[in-house]
């Protein structure tokens, strides 16, 4: 009695391995892509909450300070850089958006300031 079902054919084995490897690669790349981009947005939203930026800034409506949308419109699309906006957040300002001053946020680490600034420039998406 032969047991052909236990031994893969050489042509089937190569094709199955190649297909399995390709499928695994597609899955890994898909996971990396789907995880990498949203993570930045989620992390930036989390940073905005962590540092209480959301107390003065809302997604689309002016509150105490300008909305994320308005900040992105004023400084995004090449009108400013994340480094410039991060420096402005860190130092604070007055008169840029009305009478209410933006208090200095020097306690926020530079890397987080950069992430927040880039997120705002990207439209807080």
């Amino acid at each position: 009695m032969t047991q052909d079902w236990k031994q893969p054919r050489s042509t089937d084995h190569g094709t199955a391995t190649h297909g399995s490897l390709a499928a695994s690669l597609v899955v890994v790349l898909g996971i990396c892509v789907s995880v990498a981009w949203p993570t930045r947005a989620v992390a930036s939203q989390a940073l905005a909450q962590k540092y209480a930026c959301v107390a003065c800034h809302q997604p689309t409506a002016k509150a105490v300070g300008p909305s994320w949308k308005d900040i992105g419109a004023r400084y995004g699309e090449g009108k400013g850089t994340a480094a410039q906006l991060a420096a402005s957040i860190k130092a604070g300002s007055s008169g840029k958006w009305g009478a209410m001053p933006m208090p200095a946020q020097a306690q926020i680490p530079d890397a987080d300031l950069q992430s927040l600034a880039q997120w705002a420039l990207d439209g807080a998406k």
Side-chain angles (χ1 to χ4, degrees):
M1 181 176 213
T2 62
Q3 295 181 351
D4 289 334
W5 58 272
K6 288 185 177 180
Q7 298 177 1
R9 295 181 187 165
S10 61
T11 57
D12 290 343
H13 179 71
T15 303
T17 301
H18 178 65
S20 175
L21 180 60
S24 296
L25 182 59
V26 167
V27 168
V28 169
L29 287 174
I31 290 170
C32 290
V33 167
S34 67
V35 168
W37 279 308
T39 298
R40 185 168 127 207
V42 170
S44 295
Q45 178 65 40
L47 289 174
Q49 291 171 343
K50 176 180 178 180
Y51 296 115
C53 303
V54 296
C56 297
H57 302 281
Q58 299 301 310
T60 58
K62 182 181 184 332
V64 175
S67 70
W68 299 118
K69 180 181 176 185
D70 290 342
I71 294 168
R74 182 178 282 188
Y75 298 110
E77 298 179 10
K79 299 173 196 161
T81 67
Q84 290 169 329
L85 186 54
S88 180
I89 296 167
K90 185 172 190 169
S93 64
S94 63
K96 290 183 179 181
W97 293 92
M100 183 62 68
M102 165 79 178
Q105 302 297 315
Q107 78 284 2
I108 301 175
D110 289 342
D112 288 352
L113 284 169
Q114 183 72 24
S115 293
L116 283 164
Q118 187 62 57
W119 177 69
L121 292 178
D122 291 343
K125 298 176 185 173

